[in-house]
Structure formats: structure tokens, C-alpha cells
Amino acid sequence: MTADSIPEAVRKPRSKPAAKTINLALQGGGAHGGFTWGVLDRLLEEKSLTFEGISATSAGAMNGAVLAYGLAVGGREGAREVLAAFWRRISDAARLGPLQPSPMDWMLKDFSLSSSPAFAILGFMTRLLSPYQFNPMNFNPLKDAVEQSIDFDVLKGPDCPVKLFLSATNVRTGKIKVFEKDEISVSAVLASACLPTMFQAVEIDGEAYWDGGYMGNPPLFPLIYNCRSADILIVHLNPLYRSETPRTADEILNRINEVSFNSSLMREMRAVSFVTKLIAEHQIIDPALKHVLIHSVANDKLMNSLNAVSKYNADWDFITHLRDQGRRCASDWLAANFSKLGIESTVDIDQAYL
């Protein structure tokens, strides 16, 4: 066969897909954040995809801050390396624990199974005693991992390639606090991830903060108001739907947490749906209002199979299993939806959230 006989469509080199810019909304979920790591790792391989803004909470805040720092200092490959190193540090901290025995020591040891008796003890302890009682020295193994993984001066500097928004809950007022720009710090990250049953409230400028998931998991409004891209990709860690009614005490508490940690997102989705319909029906014409496009990566089947205390399981095999599942879900999402970015939502908001 000669070159002339080859059909033109075959002879032409395949064109690269047009570049797309999206915003990321990263949920919290403790060690389940390993799933988000996998999603981000796969997205970073897609060179036609760039990120404008990241709104994140709890474990999502850690992933988001590490991602932003990695992009700033090493581009895509640098971000992948920094994320991998961060999660290895988290796993090592849980495996080794502090050098001197303490009430936290047994809590941070290597838990290979989410059904381990140690996990049951941990869950019981957090309901019986406050962190001010079982952890009076306020030891937090996450702090060292975050400090070793991120130079926060870089995130505050002009070279940070993404807009970063980290949310926490103000303990005194009950309002959401969104840390951004010069407010981004190790304390802001720890505040966003401060589960009140596990850690003492994080104090910043005289205010005490708990996990951001109570008021925004994650909040979408920082991305809507501050970013030009209309596309928001939500990485879910808390299942929206469960087919079975919980019956045990642990199952009930777990579902209560899932519902409460999804509630703020559901409320924002109602507002997004309302404004979107008004724009589509030309009932409002205001250039300040943006037609927001919603996308999501989730694996409810996986998350439904995990119990609540597995969020404390930082065993490396478990974390990398979640990472691999996240990569697979992100690959499936890209294959099905990349071409729709900038054009339409790939989630039926009314069906999924309302």
C-alpha cells in the first residue's frame, strides 16, 4: 500500500485535544483522602487539563494544598511526586507513632484492617473522652507531615499557579471560614482537618476552628465568585446515597456524619440549580451571574463498603488501594466527559443533589 492509497483521515496525525481549564472541589474524609490522591494523580497526567481554583476541606484541604505547592515548584510531575511523598509521610506517622509512649501511641500504630479491635477502641474512646482529656499535650501527627511537604511561603507567593481556598468551621460563631492567599498556613490546613473528637480546636488569630466539613464540604462559592472557569469537578468521599437503612450504633453514627457533611453541598447545589435555570430560561440577564457546570468523580460502591473508623486507617496498603481506585475512576471520568468540559454539566444536579 502506497502513501497515496492511505485514506486522508488515517494519514493525518491525530490532533491534540483542546486545552480545558477546570476548578476542583475536594471533600474531606480522613484516610479516604487517598482516593482523592489517586484522582489528582490521574488528572495530572492529562496535559490538556489545567486547574484554576481549588476549594477544599479537611483531607481535601491537605490534598489541595500539596497539589498547589507541587505545581508551583515542579509542575505536573512535581505535583505527583509531592502528593506521593505526603501520603507516605501520613502512613509512616500512623505506623511509627511518637517516640515516647503516650495515650496517642496505640491510636497511631499500624492498623492493617479497618475491622481491627484497635479501631473499635478508637471509636469508643472518641465518644467517651474529649481530645483535651486523652491528648492533653495536643499531639497532632498531621502537623509534621504537612510542614515537611509544603513551603507555605510558596503558596502565598505570586508563583502559585492556582487559587487555593481552604474551609474551616468557626467554633464560636458556627460560620464557615475560608482561608485564602496570605491566610494559607499550616494552621489553616490543620484547622480545616480538625475533627473535634480527635484533636483540640486549632486557634488562629484568637478564633478556634474545627473541621470545615460541618459548614462546607467543600464550599463551591469561592470558585464561583473568584474563578473564570465555569467547570467545577467535585471529588466525593462521602456517599450521597445508601441503599440500606443503618441499624447498628456505628452505622447510624456514620450515616449521620455523611448526611451532615454533605448537607452544605446539597444546599449550594440547590442555589446553583435555581440560578442555572433562570439563566437558561433568559429570566435574568446579568453578566455577573455565571452558568456553572458541575462534574463529579465518585465511587459510592467503594465508600459504602468502608466503615467509619477506616477513615483513621493510614496503612500504606489501604491508602494505595484507595489511590488506585481513584485513578481508575478518574480515567473513566476523563474518557466519558473530557469533551463536554466547557459545554455542559455531566451531572444531573436535580437527580443527584436535590
Side-chain angles (χ1 to χ4, degrees):
M1 180 181 291
T2 65
D4 290 339
S5 65
I6 301 175
E8 183 179 0
V10 177
R11 277 190 280 122
K12 281 186 176 181
R14 293 182 180 177
S15 58
K16 294 181 179 179
K20 308 274 189 175
T21 300
I22 65 172
N23 300 306
L24 297 171
L26 310 179
Q27 280 198 328
H32 294 180
F35 176 86
T36 303
W37 167 29
V39 172
L40 299 178
D41 189 66
R42 177 62 186 90
L43 295 179
L44 286 165
E45 291 180 341
E46 202 68 28
K47 295 184 179 180
S48 297
L49 194 65
T50 59
F51 313 112
E52 181 182 3
I54 302 172
S55 179
T57 296
S58 197
M62 295 184 181
N63 274 316
V66 173
L67 170 63
Y69 172 69
L71 287 170
V73 298
R76 294 174 179 276
E77 287 306 313
R80 295 183 67 199
E81 292 174 5
V82 172
L83 279 164
F86 168 73
W87 280 100
R88 172 55 84 175
R89 289 188 180 104
I90 290 292
S91 182
D92 287 347
R95 177 172 56 84
L96 298 174
L99 293 178
Q100 298 298 323
S102 75
M104 288 289 287
D105 189 37
W106 60 268
M107 294 172 56
L108 297 170
K109 288 188 182 297
D110 182 12
F111 302 124
S112 59
L113 296 172
S114 60
S115 59
S116 164
F119 279 104
I121 295 171
L122 174 58
F124 177 76
M125 282 283 290
T126 58
R127 291 194 293 272
L128 184 66
L129 301 173
S130 86
Y132 296 87
Q133 295 172 306
F134 68 71
N135 185 20
M137 300 303 293
N138 201 22
F139 172 75
N140 189 337
L142 301 176
K143 183 179 180 184
D144 286 345
V146 172
E147 287 180 329
Q148 292 167 14
S149 301
I150 303 171
D151 181 345
F152 284 91
D153 288 336
V154 172
L155 293 185
K156 296 176 183 179
D159 295 329
C160 184
V162 296
K163 300 171 184 176
L164 187 60
F165 307 96
L166 309 181
S167 64
T169 301
N170 187 305
V171 178
R172 183 177 60 84
T173 66
K175 295 180 180 179
I176 189 171
K177 167 64 179 177
V178 178
F179 297 95
E180 57 180 304
K181 299 178 181 177
D182 290 343
E183 297 175 314
I184 302 293
S185 65
V186 63
S187 292
V189 174
L190 295 177
S192 183
C194 180
L195 285 174
T197 57
M198 286 289 294
F199 303 112
Q200 297 180 23
V202 176
E203 294 199 7
I204 301 175
D205 296 332
E207 292 287 356
Y209 295 98
W210 282 340
D211 195 295
Y214 296 105
M215 296 305 296
N217 193 26
L220 303 185
F221 68 85
L223 303 175
I224 296 172
Y225 296 155
N226 298 288
C227 298
R228 297 183 64 182
S229 173
D231 292 280
I232 298 177
L233 173 61
I234 305 169
V235 182
H236 284 276
L237 295 182
N238 295 284
L240 293 170
Y241 177 79
R242 281 189 180 270
S243 59
E244 297 181 359
T245 301
R247 297 189 180 278
T248 69
D250 285 341
E251 289 172 348
I252 291 169
L253 285 173
N254 184 39
R255 189 54 181 160
I256 288 172
N257 285 331
E258 289 174 348
V259 170
S260 62
F261 271 43
N262 279 326
S263 62
S264 58
L265 179 62
M266 306 282 257
R267 288 193 296 271
E268 279 197 284
M269 284 300 187
R270 187 171 296 279
V272 168
S273 176
F274 177 69
V275 173
T276 298
K277 288 176 181 177
L278 291 178
I279 294 173
E281 296 169 359
H282 305 289
Q283 295 187 38
I284 54 173
I285 301 175
D286 186 344
L289 294 176
K290 181 167 56 180
H291 188 165
V292 178
L293 305 177
I294 300 296
H295 317 276
S296 74
V297 173
N299 188 337
D300 278 4
K301 182 178 180 180
L302 170 66
M303 295 305 169
N304 281 330
S305 71
L306 304 175
N307 58 30
V309 292
S310 67
K311 293 178 180 179
Y312 305 130
N313 183 3
D315 176 75
W316 185 243
D317 288 342
F318 179 61
I319 295 295
T320 53
H321 169 69
L322 293 176
R323 176 203 62 195
D324 294 344
Q325 294 297 315
R327 281 185 54 85
R328 186 173 296 110
C329 287
S331 289
D332 292 343
W333 180 82
L334 285 166
N337 300 302
F338 184 86
S339 62
K340 300 174 184 177
L341 293 175
I343 299 173
E344 61 180 326
S345 291
T346 56
V347 172
D348 185 329
I349 296 176
D350 289 358
Q351 182 179 16
Y353 298 100
L354 305 186

